[in-house]
Amino acid sequence: MDYAVYGILQARILEWVAFPFSRGSSQLRDQTQVSCIAAQNGVNPDWEKKVIEYFKEKLKENNAPKWVPSLNEVPLHYLKPNSFVKFRCMVQDMFDPEFYMGVYETVNRNTKARVLHFGKYRDVAECGPQQEVDLNSPRTTTLERQTFYCVPVPGESTWVKEISFISAFLFSRSWKSFFNPSFNAYVNANQARVSPSTSYTPSRHKRSYEDDEDMDLQPNKQKDQHTGARQAGNVGGLQWCGEPKRLETEASSGQQLSSLNLSSPFDLNFPLPGEKGPACLVKVYEDWDCFKVNDVLELYGILSVDPVLSILNNDERDASSLLDPMECTDMAEEQRVHSPPASLVPRIHVVLAQKLQHINPLLPACLNKEESKTCKFVSGFMSELSPVRAELLGFLTHALLGDSLAAEYLILHLISTVYTRRDVLPLGKFTVNLSGCPRNSTFTEHLYRIIQHLVPASFRLQMTIENMNHLKFIPHKDYAANRLVSGLLQLPSHTSLVIDETLLEQGQLDTAGVHNVTALSNLITWQKVDYDFSYHQMEFPCNINVFITSEGRSLLPADCQIHLQPQLMPPNMEEYMNSLLSAVLPSVLNKFRIYLTLLRFLDYSISDEITKAVEDDFVEMRKNDPQSITADDLHQLLIVARFLSLSAGQTTLSRERWLRAKQLESLRRARLQQQKCVNGNEL
């Protein structure tokens, strides 16, 4: 898609929401409906199930998932607080569980009337004028919820963001009813009185608090409001206060951080450099055991950006000053990380959560369920798979400078996936080393651009001595902040990792560089990353497609090496690659994207008849050349045959595909042998 058009559409959206507008008739938009359902059901515990069922039904209506505002596409300040939103993200870290007031009671100071409230899907207790929370009420119920720290999907391709944005744009002209540019009015209404926080985290015997927000909204009014404010208090680890004290200024907050030797800018902890988008604290109320670190989720929930979350509790700071300075520093650092400003890291209270198999917006979210097999779109696409493959092969052949054999192997690599694990061995991984890439050329950079246009998520690692020695590859546990600090290899499944070795110069790897090379080797060989927890390492299985470009044979292990044989060498590589991309119709490019994602999820089997034929063939091959044909070669042939069959839309191995796999492997080996004879032992 043309970037200019994308920018115009974004500008049009922002233009629409720049004026006041009505809320609209849909009840899917804020927390009001949650409160209504809770009130109608009283203390009946089934009210929570009714909330979930309500939103599930609403999401089935009129392509609702398309027009629910997404934090991935819509700037945070255009979203209405307490509205219903969605967020496509990766679980970067899991914090300790926290307790919250699931049910609490308020008392009117004048009339002594009591009102029962529900604290689910809230960060701040609902407390009206002249009301206060009765923390000693026997009706108070404490419940538990889990907090995830979630970031936008690392390496997500621009085309994924664009298609998601345009899809939502086309399906709803009513986005504007979700936005509230008059945020000051909301702040005034909610800061007139600070209500108790409904939660606390039982972490290291202390209460959590929020850092000050960068926003300084209507300071004069706030100053008047806070005159004569009562002192904040604590009971049972729950934060509460009658009326708020003035938020600390950004400067004083910065001075406090400096005095504790803390870094003042908040690190959003993105795994990859240059990533953009909001990070969120996600509150999960049920089935949180189903999710794990690095899972990609699509969340639907209540957006919480209440400025009250940024008020620092005086008692907490006073108590901290009495502690040992080192312990005080650790506590402050953890609180800073776990309770960032809501304007920077908003909260989402999850109503519905779905683990995503993929993030390709052109395909149904689930591809391994029975309903997807009967999906008209999927079955229709499978019927025209052959011409799509032929077009893709031609496209990649041009991208690889006329080398059709390398293009065949690139297709097999792009649809490869770890389909199972046998003990510690991941089956289905297919790391390809494309050797023979021209040095001191922009070829590898532009080849990566081509891959970026085809896959939903990718990252190009420039393998230089400086990068290997200084970049953080392995996530590690920061015990002072009680969080997992991300690294380059904290990536979701099916990410395409392109390692460019053509930039490698002579130099010395230090200890960190050696560890990084080892981490890459383990990723390629075992499809796992050993996260560093200081006192021990913890294995995190992964499913990353690694593609290595190099001049000679890669320093890293690879399942398959294919030597590039260019049939042409354009004088201007950038112009050549740009013209190649511009020549492909957007509809054709989308077919390529569907093709590469869809084929990863097809079932595959080998019949007993073909198994027997393969065994006999292997025995015959061993007889003819016992020195060069090994069990590893048979495994390689079976992998090539598997993905060759799937690339043609065939879910079983046929004799024809087996012979074609043998032919491709023979051509590849012959090319490597020929290059070895030319360049000695280089390969």
Side-chain angles (χ1 to χ4, degrees), residues 353-369:
Q354 179 184 15
K355 187 186 298 186
L356 296 180
Q357 292 178 290
H358 65 88
I359 57 170
N360 190 332
L362 300 169
L363 280 167
C366 293
L367 294 174
N368 61 352
K369 294 184 178 180

Side-chain angles (χ1 to χ4, degrees), residues 414-446:
L414 291 175
I415 65 171
S416 66
T417 185
V418 176
Y419 58 89
T420 190
R421 291 179 186 265
R422 187 168 297 165
D423 295 327
V424 297
L425 184 65
L427 301 181
K429 71 182 184 73
F430 193 58
T431 299
V432 171
N433 171 210
L434 180 68
S435 59
C437 296
R439 193 174 181 82
N440 300 323
S441 169
T442 59
F443 168 73
T444 54
E445 177 185 348
H446 291 294

